[in-house]
Amino acid sequence: MSAIILEDRGVVEVGGPDAAKFLHNLVTNDIAKLLPGQARFCALLAPQGKILFDFLVFAVGEGEDRRYLLDCPLALVGDLVKRLGMYKLRANVTVTPRSGELVSYAFLAAEKPQAEAVALAEDPRSERLGWRALAQQGAIPASGGRADYDAARVAAGIPEGGLDFAYGDAFPHEANMDLIAGVDFTKGCYVGQEVVSRTKHRNLARKRVAPYRTSQGQAPAPGAAVRAGEIDIGLTGSHSGEIGLALIRLDKLADAAAAGIATTAEGVSLEFAAPSGAS
């Protein structure tokens, strides 16, 4: 089974007796029930409800030795460590960057890989993304291509922060976190929870990352304006071949569809589908 190394990912370890409670009270998903062999997709939000960081969380160890490994964008490791440090106060936790030691891998297969991993779990966002692992540097030979992972991610409709939405500027619903197991609406309070809950219960999500397909060859490059006639309705993001993702104003997309107006980007026609996980 091919192991795809994700070189743009970093790792932050949160340990100590209060680690579970500390993380559970901060992030969008349920950490209190997370067990070894599982992963949670989470975000740490600003008080205003916008995504500052998103990451996969793995539980490692048992009892008093339990710690949590956060698989996050490598470029954001330093900022994430600082942000978590701001919330420590008197909590008995340690926050340690581990990117120099641990490497993130993806396995695009349904069966569990046999790998010497520190943490190994199914990717909770989509079955199409298979398994994720964190392992010591050099412990797992990389034999798959990164383009294969990106193609699977785009085909599954899974957004990537910094490409499909901007950190500090997007709400969880806009990044489809409510549709891809990134938000637990029953866990109680966390930073930004009131905004996320209000968006859900009042159906206030006006924008989302939506998948599209073009029959005219290669999908447009990221950052291209999506237009319905003469009206700008969004921006393109990730793409692979003829498929891609775009952050779109849902009301304007619906109006264009009802009026029979084509949506285009860089002169290429785009046919949109419902966001991943949406009915």
Side-chain angles (χ1 to χ4, degrees):
M1 184 185 304
S2 295
I4 301 171
I5 189 169
L6 304 178
E7 295 180 342
D8 59 338
R9 306 294 294 182
V11 181
V12 174
E13 178 182 300
V14 179
D18 296 337
K21 181 179 179 181
F22 173 72
L23 282 176
H24 185 79
N25 291 338
L26 286 179
V27 303
T28 57
N29 220 326
D30 190 324
I31 301 302
K33 298 177 182 177
L34 180 61
L35 299 174
Q38 301 175 339
R40 293 277 193 275
F41 179 46
C42 307
L44 177 59
L45 309 179
Q48 299 79 16
K50 293 188 176 182
I51 301 169
L52 297 178
F53 311 92
D54 59 353
F55 38 79
L56 293 171
V57 182
F58 301 82
V60 178
E62 300 289 347
E64 295 182 356
D65 295 326
R66 176 69 53 83
R67 61 194 192 280
Y68 298 88
L69 299 176
L70 282 54
D71 176 342
C72 65
L74 180 59
L76 298 182
V77 165
D79 289 339
L80 178 55
V81 169
K82 291 179 183 178
R83 177 66 63 159
L84 291 173
M86 289 172 52
Y87 286 112
K88 280 178 58 177
L89 300 176
R90 288 183 291 275
N92 190 357
V93 298
T94 59
V95 180
T96 309
R98 298 285 302 278
S99 302
E101 310 165 48
L102 298 178
V103 178
S104 180
Y105 294 87
F107 296 85
L108 301 177
E111 64 271 21
K112 184 177 180 178
Q114 300 300 312
E116 294 185 21
V118 175
L120 176 66
E122 291 180 279
D123 193 315
R125 298 171 296 173
S126 171
E127 293 181 354
R128 299 177 74 165
L129 294 184
W131 293 72
R132 285 289 281 265
L134 297 177
Q136 296 289 339
Q137 191 82 246
I140 301 176
S143 54
R146 175 57 187 259
D148 295 331
Y149 172 79
D150 288 331
R153 180 182 60 78
V154 173
I158 307 300
E160 180 175 306
L163 187 58
D164 297 302
F165 64 89
Y167 289 112
D169 192 49
F171 295 103
H173 284 78
E174 294 176 348
N176 297 337
M177 291 194 68
D178 58 318
L179 304 179
I180 55 176
V183 180
D184 187 320
F185 289 100
T186 66
K187 62 164 282 188
C189 294
Y190 54 87
V191 178
Q193 182 265 340
E194 291 184 2
V195 177
V196 177
S197 180
R198 185 166 61 247
T199 300
K200 172 181 171 62
H201 293 296
R202 297 184 183 179
N203 195 25
L204 296 176
R206 300 176 66 187
K207 295 188 292 183
R208 281 194 185 271
V209 174
Y212 69 82
R213 179 178 296 273
T214 173
S215 59
Q216 298 172 264
Q218 184 75 16
V226 179
R227 313 196 78 192
E230 298 301 316
I231 300 174
D232 288 347
I233 66 171
L235 290 173
T236 59
S238 304
H239 66 91
S240 177
E242 74 281 2
I243 60 175
L245 305 175
L247 183 60
I248 292 294
R249 275 285 300 267
L250 299 176
D251 55 343
K252 293 183 178 181
L253 181 63
D255 289 345
I261 300 174
T263 52
T264 63
E266 296 184 339
V268 177
S269 295
L270 311 180
E271 181 179 346
F272 281 89
S276 176
S279 58

